[in-house]
Amino acid sequence: MAVRWRLDVRRRRTALGYATAVLGTGAAAAVLLLFRGRVDQVIVVLAFLMVVVTAAATGGFAPGLLATVLGFLAFDVLFIPPYRTLRVAERDAYVSLAAYLLVTIVVSTLVVAREQRRREAERREQQARTLYALSQSLVAPTRLDAALAGVARTVRELFHLAGCGIVLAEPPGPMRLAASDGTLSAEAFRLAEAVIAGSAGRPPQSPPGGPAPGRPLALPMQAAGLTAGALVILAGDAAPAPIGEAERRVLVTFANQAAVVVLQARQEQERARTEALEATDRLRTALLNSVSHELRTPIAAIKASAASLHDQEISWDDAQRQEFLDTIDQEADRLAHLVANLLDMSRIEAGAVSPQLVEAWLLEAAGRAVRRVWGGVEHRIDVDVPEALPPVLADPVRLDQVLTNLLDNARRYGGDGPVRLVGRTVDGMVELRVIDHGPGIPAAEQDRVFEQFYRVHRPGQRVEGTGLGLSICRGLIEAMHGKLWAETAPGGGAAFVVRLPRADGPA
Amino acid sequence: MTSRVLVVDDEPAIVRTVAANLRARGYEVVTAMTGEAALAAAELHQLDCVVLDLGLPGMHGLEVLRRLRTWTPVPVVILTAVDGERDKLAAFDLGTDDYVTKPFGMAELLARIRVAVRHGEQAKAGTRPHVVEAGQVRIDLDTGEVTREGRLVRLTPTEHRLLEVLAANAGRLCTHRLLLERVWGPGYGDESQYLRVYVANLRKKLDDPDAPKLLLTEPGMGYRLVTSETA
């Protein structure tokens, strides 16, 4: 807005300068005529000089020159005898005329030069202010497209345009209209694409001149030798004048500033992507390390035991031989268990678990799991499950696997106290809590225990198991449209909560 | 004299089996299942060697090694399922004597423990070997004389110093960092291109540069001088 206003003012001021030259000279002549013969010629010269200075200061050099010429004619014809003719009677009058011309030209030149400097400074300040307004629209929003939309809007408003758009080159992808404001023609896009294609790798070029109203203009957005895209504008039919060189300079500067922002945003995106990849990579490496550690350990024990039995140099006693054989047997079991778990895990991760959902009773399944976990060993289990607990929709085999795992954890880590089973219905789901009286799981780790190979480390306690159990349990329960999470029980122990959909409830 | 070995692993099966094999060969065995227990055992017993797992619950094996090294030069053989280059390098930089990856050959582990125990004894008695023999090469660590097939080999001072460090650690992996700091001094720990040049020179003078048999490269880790007794 400000730039357009500035240009209008300049045009208006030129007109005003001419008016001053004509009317000022006329008025001065009219007034001076009243006192002709009674005023000194110096006063007359000074009066016309004042008109010249005013016209030059208002409208620039041309109005100043016009005032000079008009003043000269008026002076000569009206105030130097003989009157009403250019002819001059006295020789002194030549000197007066020459002095008048010299003084007016020198003064008006000085005035014009000063005025131009002042306007230049004003224009620079105005440009700086414009750029500042534009860069504010760039800096404020954090997301690139929002920033560019702000740019398009600001540019359109500042220059009274019909439309403004920003087309980004995103190799290897196609060019993309990242932001637009107002209306843009198909021709405008073609021009933008041509500018991007044409200016790739070349320094910014700025041929003078601007588009006619209704015609698009595209400027390359360049930074660091790269063309980020193009700023395309469509001058409005209603605009009072075409885009001039000053506006064009502002636009070029701004297009290049926008390019810097685009390139920075891209670098930022690239960095974020690299970071995400690195994080994934670290996770994968950690997982792979865990798997390889878990697989190698039992193999190492089996191999070491077998090699010991093989050793001809040593004659082992029967007890020792038996121990090696037991180790091989147990570690092979452990390996088999681990492999089964890994297979389960990869099935869950691949979404290849297809549970056979039928009516199942949580309490019944829990009873089977208790017998499996504790075998013949006496252990107190407190059951707090209503008789009428409705059945759930679950795969009985997978449900048994999950409950066995949860109860086995309660046996291992749950201390010597009784294990409590609490059942209830909630929100159309049936819930079973497995609560132990052990040290519990710190709140910060309650979700992490479901991560693969994550283990709660307790001082002085050996870590057992594969580190996959809970992760598999959650995967299986989720495959059965249920939920599994950990809490801290009121007494401080760990509570694992299983929720499954009711078999009789709404699907 | 009976050698005493501390076996540290959180896997009971591994501890049992390694301990049984060591006892059957006349070693006295102490065991520990955690890093803390290992450090306590190392203070309590006069040890000749420590077999140390890295993936211990609680204190990590590398931390155990670091703490051990603050007060004892007892030989350490790392026995671990972790075979990442970084852990291996870290263990050698922290001053382990050897590194065996699970699953392992029992015979190999026992041989490495034997070498480590011997090194420890020599170091303790201050009786490091006077002469190291590697193939046709004979290195007299006292006189500094190096011969190949009986003929004197002329070495530059730097080559000589490098060979000396390798020979003093004969059979063991010497990491780039260890060699650089011993030969060139602290602050040169990352200049492994120096090493490549001097190792190449040593190979030209002492070994077959195309198929080294004495001065082996452990890719990404360091070099090892294979002597007649450690081969």
Side-chain angles (χ1 to χ4, degrees):
Chain A
M1 278 181 291
V3 169
R4 171 64 57 195
W5 178 82
R6 177 85 202 89
L7 295 174
D8 290 350
V9 163
R10 193 190 298 169
R11 217 162 285 121
R12 251 181 303 180
R13 293 187 71 145
T14 310
L16 196 63
Y18 285 120
T20 308
V22 175
L23 300 177
T25 309
V31 171
L32 290 168
L33 269 178
L34 297 177
F35 306 97
R36 187 162 70 183
R38 278 176 286 166
V39 291
D40 197 317
Q41 282 192 351
V42 173
I43 300 291
V44 178
V45 167
L46 280 177
F48 286 123
L49 186 61
M50 258 170 64
V51 175
V52 170
V53 168
T54 310
T58 319
F61 189 74
L65 192 65
L66 179 66
T68 303
V69 172
L70 289 177
F72 174 82
L73 292 175
F75 183 38
D76 186 353
V77 173
L78 299 177
F79 296 97
I80 295 179
Y83 302 130
R84 289 183 219 168
T85 163
L86 281 173
R87 264 191 318 110
V88 175
E90 298 169 46
R91 192 175 305 157
D92 283 0
Y94 283 111
V95 179
S96 296
L97 279 174
Y100 165 79
L101 270 180
L102 191 69
V103 169
T104 47
I105 287 172
V106 167
V107 167
S108 65
T109 306
L110 284 176
V111 164
V112 165
R114 214 200 101 256
E115 183 63 12
Q116 260 178 356
R117 272 200 300 281
R118 195 181 62 77
R119 282 190 199 153
E120 182 68 19
E122 226 175 54
R123 195 180 57 77
R124 289 233 176 89
E125 193 196 324
Q126 194 58 49
Q127 272 190 3
R129 223 175 295 151
T130 308
L131 282 175
Y132 178 73
L134 287 164
S135 37
Q136 278 308 98
S137 68
L138 267 183
V139 173
T142 45
R143 297 225 5 236
L144 179 63
D145 279 11
L148 295 179
V151 172
R153 194 175 53 248
T154 314
V155 168
R156 191 171 86 88
E157 283 172 4
L158 274 171
F159 295 94
H160 297 285
L161 301 170
C164 175
I166 290 169
V167 178
L168 292 186
E170 295 186 330
M175 296 177 198
R176 171 174 82 89
L177 179 69
S180 70
D181 199 61
T183 53
L184 284 171
S185 58
E187 189 195 354
F189 294 121
R190 275 197 300 279
L191 192 64
E193 292 186 359
V195 160
I196 292 171
S199 68
R202 271 192 280 140
Q205 79 268 56
S206 48
R215 304 282 301 163
L217 168 70
L219 297 163
M221 291 163 49
Q222 291 177 322
L226 294 169
T227 302
L231 180 73
V232 58
I233 58 168
L234 193 63
D237 293 324
I243 297 289
E245 190 51 35
E247 290 81 357
R248 195 192 157 88
R249 262 204 303 278
V250 174
L251 283 171
V252 165
T253 312
F254 197 71
N256 293 342
Q257 277 199 359
V260 170
V261 172
V262 170
L263 293 179
Q264 274 171 354
R266 282 201 193 141
Q267 274 164 8
E268 186 60 29
Q269 269 177 1
E270 195 55 40
R271 205 175 54 75
R273 198 167 21 231
T274 312
E275 258 171 29
L277 272 178
E278 277 170 1
T280 315
D281 214 43
R282 271 199 300 279
L283 197 69
R284 209 173 285 151
T285 308
L287 216 59
L288 203 65
N289 282 344
S290 296
V291 173
S292 79
H293 183 268
E294 296 304 317
L295 286 170
R296 279 171 178 191
T297 303
I299 293 173
I302 292 169
K303 199 164 142 51
S305 297
S308 307
L309 285 169
H310 245 293
D311 197 333
Q312 303 293 327
E313 289 176 28
I314 313 278
S315 54
W316 304 103
D317 59 32
D318 283 352
Q320 190 60 66
R321 294 177 68 81
Q322 195 54 52
E323 198 181 292
F324 287 140
L325 290 171
D326 286 347
T327 299
I328 292 173
D329 192 37
Q330 286 159 12
E331 294 297 308
D333 280 349
R334 181 174 155 194
L335 199 54
H337 180 61
L338 177 66
V339 169
N341 272 352
L342 282 173
L343 285 177
D344 267 348
M345 198 67 244
S346 46
R347 269 193 214 111
I348 289 169
E349 285 192 333
V353 179
S354 44
Q356 304 294 309
L357 299 183
V358 295
E359 248 188 13
W361 280 264
L362 275 175
L363 189 57
E364 232 177 70
R368 282 195 300 272
V370 166
R371 278 193 295 283
R372 201 172 301 128
V373 170
W374 275 277
V377 182
E378 284 284 326
H379 194 87
R380 206 175 114 200
I381 311 283
D382 293 338
V383 180
D384 180 7
V385 177
E387 276 294 314
L389 197 68
V392 293
L393 260 187
D395 183 322
V397 177
R398 295 308 201 175
L399 184 58
D400 277 12
Q401 186 183 344
V402 170
L403 293 178
T404 303
N405 203 313
L406 294 182
L407 284 162
D408 196 47
N409 281 350
R411 180 182 65 82
R412 281 169 197 262
Y413 310 113
D416 296 326
V419 172
R420 243 161 76 81
L421 297 175
V422 180
R424 60 173 181 149
T425 55
V426 53
D427 303 335
M429 311 271 277
V430 184
E431 181 183 284
L432 183 73
R433 286 166 179 264
V434 179
I435 303 165
D436 66 37
H437 288 83
I441 302 166
E445 297 185 70
Q446 279 172 359
D447 212 44
R448 296 203 66 192
V449 293
F450 293 98
E451 289 174 14
Q452 295 171 25
F453 298 106
Y454 186 81
R455 280 148 167 169
V456 179
H457 286 298
R458 298 196 181 99
Q461 190 175 26
R462 209 180 90 75
V463 179
E464 289 176 69
T466 60
L468 287 171
L470 284 176
S471 177
I472 290 172
C473 285
R474 179 174 267 185
L476 291 177
I477 291 291
E478 282 174 358
M480 295 190 273
H481 313 296
K483 279 184 186 152
L484 170 63
W485 71 93
E487 287 178 4
T488 302
F496 283 89
V497 188
V498 180
R499 262 189 206 175
L500 285 165
R502 288 171 67 145
D504 54 355
Chain B
M1 194 186 88
T2 319
S3 301
R4 191 182 288 127
V5 179
L6 170 63
V7 179
V8 190
D9 203 305
D10 65 325
E11 290 293 330
I14 301 281
V15 172
R16 272 202 312 269
T17 316
V18 173
N21 275 278
L22 285 169
R23 286 195 186 103
R25 281 165 179 78
Y27 291 90
E28 202 177 303
V29 181
V30 186
T31 64
M33 309 260 288
T34 66
E36 290 83 353
L39 289 172
E43 289 200 39
L44 193 63
H45 301 279
Q46 278 289 327
L47 296 174
D48 298 295
C49 182
V50 177
V51 177
L52 180 62
D53 182 21
L54 288 186
L56 295 170
M59 192 191 293
H60 193 265
L62 286 176
E63 178 60 18
V64 177
L65 176 59
R66 197 186 64 74
R67 295 201 188 182
L68 276 178
R69 279 291 171 261
T70 59
W71 60 275
T72 171
V74 61
V76 173
V77 176
I78 299 287
L79 175 62
T80 179
V82 181
D83 70 344
E85 291 283 283
R86 206 183 305 173
D87 284 309
K88 233 183 203 176
L89 260 180
F92 277 106
D93 282 340
L94 282 173
T96 190
D97 292 72
D98 218 331
Y99 195 104
V100 179
T101 310
K102 292 176 189 173
F104 55 96
M106 186 57 84
E108 186 195 351
L109 176 66
L110 292 169
R112 304 251 186 142
I113 293 172
R114 205 161 51 232
V115 171
V117 167
R118 192 169 51 230
H119 272 294
E121 279 167 0
Q122 286 166 350
K124 223 187 301 180
T127 59
R128 52 168 209 174
H130 301 282
V131 173
V132 174
E133 291 194 346
Q136 298 296 318
V137 176
R138 189 171 177 282
I139 305 153
D140 191 320
L141 290 173
D142 290 336
T143 65
E145 203 176 75
V146 180
T147 59
R148 181 181 192 176
E149 291 166 15
R151 279 192 296 276
L152 200 64
V153 181
R154 299 180 67 89
L155 297 175
T156 68
T158 303
E159 288 165 5
H160 200 276
R161 181 88 193 100
L162 178 59
L163 184 62
E164 221 171 53
V165 177
L166 284 163
N169 294 283
R172 279 185 285 180
L173 169 72
C174 299
T175 61
H176 294 139
R177 181 172 292 278
L178 177 127
L179 290 171
L180 286 162
E181 288 186 352
R182 294 269 176 88
V183 178
W184 280 269
Y188 287 85
D190 295 320
E191 311 286 336
S192 41
Q193 75 277 11
Y194 289 17
L195 268 181
R196 269 199 298 280
V197 173
Y198 283 92
V199 167
N201 289 348
L202 278 181
R203 279 187 180 142
K204 260 182 244 160
K205 293 181 180 178
L206 304 175
D207 199 358
D208 178 358
D210 297 322
K213 289 176 196 66
L214 302 178
L215 197 44
L216 302 185
T217 302
E218 300 272 342
M221 313 242 322
Y223 300 93
R224 190 196 296 269
L225 183 72
V226 181
T227 62
S228 310
E229 65 170 355
T230 58

